Amino acid sequence: MIGQTISHYEVLEKLGEGGMGIVYRAHDTKLDRDVALKFLPHQLNASEVEKERFIQEAKAAAALNHPNICTVYDVLDVDDPSGHGTLSVIAMELVEGKPLRDRLPLGSIKQAIELGAQIAGGLAAAHEKGIIHRDIKPENIMVRKDGRAVIMDFGLAKLRGSVSLTKAGTTVGTAKYMSPEQVCGQEADHRSDIFSLGVVLYEMFTGQSPFTGEHEAAILYEIMNVEPLLPSTYKPEMTQDMESVILDCLAKDVNERCQSAAEVRRRLIAASAAGSKNIS
């Protein structure tokens, strides 16, 4: 693929690969800028369900315009240069930086609050448009060189009111970031993203996972039945306000959880202001 020209995009180098796509750096010859091109893998391209999920990712992200969400520029079907039919491609913002996973553990509580508030702000913007990510985890959040967090990969996003692409009784997402309702295969709304955000915040603040089972079944059991250790167990300097917002995101009962990402953002900012003397 490297060296090929796809539509008006010159493919330069491979950046990464995951279950829902292969990503390349490419140069947009029309607008003279570098972009990221995400290709549906060959083994999935023939599946109408997976292709529809891929197009849904583009529509979900393209509907959003927020500094903490990766911008989608274009979605297109192109002839495969190897002669194997067509390829589905998303052209999107090239985010220069590192996955949040590579930044953990973070250096300070202050940095955790700043990045956490940005991520919550991006999720709030998505939720306001009726878009649920359903796979929030450190691997799907990039941190740019200037410190801005950018939410990536809406491959599991579901537009509210659209036809579900997940069979009843199945699970989506990544095990230790799943909400209890995802574990049970139930319908997940925006509050499922908030639970996943709570897991990410816990890791950002403490450097530890709230669910520590040695295998997937044990982790899923803990998500359903075990309360995590208080974050202050690992970070005694955390204020009660900081700790409570994380624990409220991790409430197993969806109705007892923080009810909006905007609320999470507000509470993180308020906790930062109230505990500024203790933040290092």
Side-chain angles (χ1 to χ4, degrees):
M1 189 65 71
I2 296 172
Q4 299 283 346
T5 297
I6 304 297
S7 183
H8 56 281
Y9 300 103
E10 181 184 354
V11 181
L12 302 177
E13 63 175 317
K14 185 176 178 179
L15 297 177
E17 182 173 354
M20 281 300 297
I22 306 169
V23 182
Y24 293 87
R25 177 192 293 266
H27 187 70
D28 182 338
T29 58
K30 282 188 177 180
L31 297 178
D32 192 23
R33 64 182 176 185
D34 282 359
V35 302
L37 290 185
K38 184 173 184 180
F39 292 79
L40 189 68
H42 278 293
Q43 64 269 29
L44 299 180
N45 202 54
S47 164
E48 288 302 318
V49 171
E50 295 296 348
K51 189 170 182 177
E52 179 63 24
R53 190 189 298 279
F54 187 77
I55 298 302
Q56 185 169 283
E57 170 182 345
K59 290 180 178 179
L64 303 170
N65 181 15
H66 193 276
N68 301 116
I69 297 175
C70 182
T71 302
V72 168
Y73 301 134
D74 196 9
V75 59
L76 59 160
D77 283 330
V78 299
D79 292 332
D80 186 345
S82 65
H84 295 90
T86 61
L87 290 172
S88 296
V89 186
I90 293 177
M92 56 189 174
E93 172 188 3
L94 180 64
V95 180
E96 302 276 12
K98 293 182 178 180
L100 177 60
R101 170 66 66 203
D102 293 349
R103 299 250 180 167
L104 297 178
L106 296 177
S108 68
I109 288 178
K110 181 179 179 180
Q111 187 180 24
I113 288 176
E114 290 174 350
L115 286 177
Q118 290 183 45
I119 298 164
L123 273 181
H127 294 165
E128 286 172 5
K129 296 286 187 178
I131 298 167
I132 306 166
H133 190 285
R134 299 202 300 173
D135 197 22
I136 292 295
K137 58 185 178 181
E139 289 79 3
N140 281 341
I141 299 164
M142 293 289 287
V143 182
R144 300 190 340 168
K145 295 176 182 178
D146 63 4
R148 188 204 301 177
V150 182
I151 302 172
M152 311 290 293
D153 197 357
F154 277 80
L156 296 175
K158 194 181 85 169
L159 294 172
R160 186 178 300 141
S162 67
V163 177
S164 174
L165 296 179
T166 305
K167 293 180 180 178
T170 64
T171 60
V172 296
T174 304
K176 69 177 180 178
Y177 300 96
M178 285 184 180
S179 65
E181 54 270 27
Q182 283 178 300
V183 172
C184 292
Q186 298 173 351
E187 189 71 14
D189 64 16
H190 67 282
R191 294 170 295 182
S192 182
D193 279 351
I194 293 171
F195 186 93
S196 302
L197 174 60
V199 179
V200 173
L201 289 173
Y202 193 105
E203 293 182 337
M204 289 168 62
F205 276 84
T206 70
Q208 306 292 325
S209 173
F211 307 111
T212 58
E214 294 184 0
H215 50 78
E216 183 172 309
I219 290 171
L220 298 181
Y221 176 85
E222 289 183 13
I223 289 172
M224 294 297 301
N225 299 287
V226 179
E227 295 297 334
L229 290 175
L230 295 177
S232 57
T233 304
Y234 302 106
K235 285 283 186 179
E237 65 269 35
M238 287 183 66
T239 67
Q240 187 174 355
D241 287 344
M242 294 174 196
E243 185 169 71
S244 67
V245 67
I246 298 173
L247 296 177
D248 286 350
C249 288
L250 291 173
K252 300 185 188 302
D253 185 332
V254 68
N255 294 311
E256 295 179 359
R257 202 173 298 160
C258 284
Q259 295 297 292
S260 75
E263 175 192 348
V264 177
R265 180 179 180 274
R266 286 194 301 269
R267 290 178 60 183
L268 283 172
I269 293 172
S272 175
S276 58
K277 293 182 180 180
N278 300 318
I279 297 173
S280 58

